[in-house]
Amino acid sequence: MPRTALFPGSFDPFTNGHLDIVQRGLALFDHVIIAIGTNSSKQRYLPVEQMQGLIAGLFEDEPRVSVQTFKGLTAEFAREKGAGFLLRGLRNSPDFEYEKPIAYGNQHINTGLETVFLLTSPTLGAISSTIIRDIHRFGGNVDAFLPYALPPLAQ
Ligand code: ADP
């Protein structure tokens, strides 16, 4: 049975930290599905279709990675996709405290679904989508944090 991991997140935007988790996940799993959640009530900074396209471009030569969007429960989407694992990154202890109840909840919904946490690589731990949005929103250059070029905001 191929091992498939779902890497769920907002990816608003997808960063070098996220890329690192996917690349390291490929050493553990046969397939990694990057799953952009769209059910959040909060407004996105970048349209989901744009983000999906930018991420897909990074992996056009890697057939073991796909990029999909989903609504609703992550654990149900994992079941639908035949993914037995959720992949998540941990930067610090607040990330861990945040992730713990979510992992328990997901396992409750989808028994046997294992969440696998990878510690962020030492140089990437300070990268956060929130900070990148804040810099970009005010016209700052965010190239150092992203594996693709993000066009300036249309005014
Ligand atoms: P969510 O809104 O679900 O937290 P994010 O897009 O912010 O989604 O993050 C998706 C996953 O990537 C989470 O597990 C998060 O902890 C992890 N992550 C975010 N930034 C980094 C980073 N710099 N290094 C490693 N993992 C990260």
Side-chain angles (χ1 to χ4, degrees), residues 7-22 24 35-37 40 42 44 74 87-92 95-96 98-99 102 115-121 123-130 132-133 145:
F7 181 33
S10 315
F11 305 119
D12 192 21
F14 187 89
T15 71
N16 286 334
H18 296 133
L19 177 63
D20 177 61
I21 297 295
V22 175
R24 290 162 58 206
I36 311 174
S40 156
K42 63 185 178 197
R44 284 187 68 87
T74 305
L87 183 59
R88 296 286 284 177
L90 290 181
R91 286 165 293 186
N92 45 37
D95 269 359
F96 173 69
Y98 172 77
E99 294 287 345
I102 296 175
T115 303
V116 175
F117 298 102
L118 295 184
L119 286 184
T120 187
S121 292
T123 54
L124 301 173
I127 298 180
S128 94
S129 298
T130 307
I132 292 172
R133 285 198 298 273
F145 309 117

Side-chain angles (χ1 to χ4, degrees), residues 33-96:
I33 302 171
I34 300 169
I36 311 174
T38 61
N39 49 326
S40 156
S41 51
K42 63 185 178 197
Q43 174 96 21
R44 284 187 68 87
Y45 181 68
L46 294 166
V48 70
E49 299 77 17
Q50 181 185 6
M51 202 65 250
Q52 186 177 14
L54 287 168
I55 304 172
L58 299 173
F59 297 103
E60 59 188 2
D61 296 327
E62 179 45 271
R64 296 195 296 139
V65 175
S66 69
V67 190
Q68 306 189 10
T69 62
F70 74 103
K71 282 190 172 62
L73 294 171
T74 305
E76 294 292 1
F77 189 61
R79 196 194 327 257
E80 208 177 288
K81 293 289 154 186
F85 304 89
L86 293 181
L87 183 59
R88 296 286 284 177
L90 290 181
R91 286 165 293 186
N92 45 37
S93 40
D95 269 359
F96 173 69

